[in-house]
Amino acid sequence: MKLFIHIPKNAGISIKDFLYTKYQYPFEGHFTCQQMKAKALLNNYLYEDIFTICRNPYSRMVSVYLFLKIKMRTYTHYKHTMDLTIPFTYYSFSHFIKTFLCLNNCNFDYMNTYMFLPQHTWLDTADDVKIFKIENFSKIENYLNTKLPHCNKIEYKQTWKDYYDEDTKKIILAHYEQDFDKLKYPSSF
């Protein structure tokens, strides 16, 4: 069996659906490697290896933006019963990035703040974690020996590169610098 580290907005739902069907995979949610190992131990879940999927940080942030924009239409903040559709309806991608990353407004007034964490922070152990790139989806399918559906897929009206201007490129590069380096993604496009 396999232990999967589900980094947000990296095809995790597709993977978990497969793992649940094949192995009755008992885990839901997003947890770091250390947390997943503890959950596995507590649940007597024996695994042979650990794996995850990463994504180009530029592409990932466009996916987060579009995902939250769609999800916020039906989400009301549990604490303030505040309708959050306004910022996600009217914020441009640039405004979104500047608000959440530059002004550090990643707080509990908004849903899913963990989506903004750099990908390398989810891999918080010295374990040999197999890291696949979403851009090479066939390698993931070969590893799992199956054809995976694309669950929770966001349809882009343009390419992810079209969302960026020079300012937003710099912000993403600064915020996710270690992801670019550790996960071996080019910092420019």
Side-chain angles (χ1 to χ4, degrees):
M1 293 196 289
K2 300 174 186 316
L3 189 64
F4 175 57
I5 310 306
H6 184 177
I7 300 172
K9 297 314 300 162
N10 290 357
I13 300 297
S14 300
I15 301 297
K16 282 188 173 175
D17 282 355
F18 166 75
L19 292 174
Y20 179 77
T21 301
K22 183 160 184 175
Y23 301 112
Q24 289 71 51
Y25 195 70
F27 307 114
E28 291 292 327
H30 301 277
F31 299 97
T32 67
C33 189
Q34 191 68 34
Q35 291 167 327
M36 285 302 296
K37 288 172 52 181
K39 286 177 144 315
L41 181 65
L42 289 170
N43 286 281
N44 294 316
Y45 182 83
L46 304 175
Y47 55 91
E48 293 134 18
D49 51 28
I50 306 170
F51 77 104
T52 194
I53 302 171
C54 66
R55 183 179 198 162
N56 180 305
Y58 292 120
S59 169
R60 182 170 174 256
M61 286 314 298
V62 171
S63 183
V64 168
Y65 167 70
L66 294 174
F67 177 79
L68 290 176
K69 192 170 182 152
I70 292 166
K71 290 295 181 184
M72 286 301 160
R73 290 182 189 143
T74 58
Y75 178 77
T76 301
H77 186 266
Y78 71 93
K79 188 175 178 183
H80 302 290
T81 61
M82 181 171 102
D83 182 358
L84 297 176
T85 59
I86 293 170
F88 287 96
T89 299
Y90 298 105
Y91 279 16
S92 67
F93 180 71
S94 178
H95 191 166
F96 171 78
I97 293 300
K98 290 174 182 172
T99 299
F100 285 93
L101 296 181
C102 287
L103 299 177
N104 198 23
N105 282 338
C106 291
N107 58 45
F108 293 108
D109 287 339
Y110 293 94
M111 175 182 154
N112 298 335
T113 55
Y114 56 82
M115 289 188 172
F116 298 94
L117 292 173
Q119 295 171 89
H120 74 275
T121 62
W122 296 89
L123 307 174
D124 59 348
T125 67
D127 292 282
D128 182 24
V129 178
K130 291 176 175 48
I131 301 173
F132 295 93
K133 293 185 176 187
I134 199 170
E135 296 84 2
N136 298 320
F137 208 70
S138 62
K139 288 186 179 181
I140 301 159
E141 292 175 326
N142 289 340
Y143 170 71
L144 296 173
N145 197 27
T146 192
K147 180 80 172 150
L148 293 166
H150 284 132
C151 301
N152 219 15
K153 186 177 180 181
I154 302 292
E155 294 298 327
Y156 290 63
K157 292 181 180 174
Q158 54 196 18
T159 71
W160 61 262
K161 293 177 183 179
D162 295 330
Y163 285 85
Y164 285 90
D165 58 28
E166 288 306 313
D167 287 342
T168 52
K169 282 184 195 178
K170 288 177 188 173
I171 294 165
I172 297 301
L173 182 58
H175 196 75
Y176 297 105
E177 183 177 10
Q178 289 186 51
D179 280 356
F180 284 103
D181 182 48
K182 291 180 178 184
L183 302 172
K184 297 179 180 30
Y185 279 102
S187 60
S188 62
F189 62 88

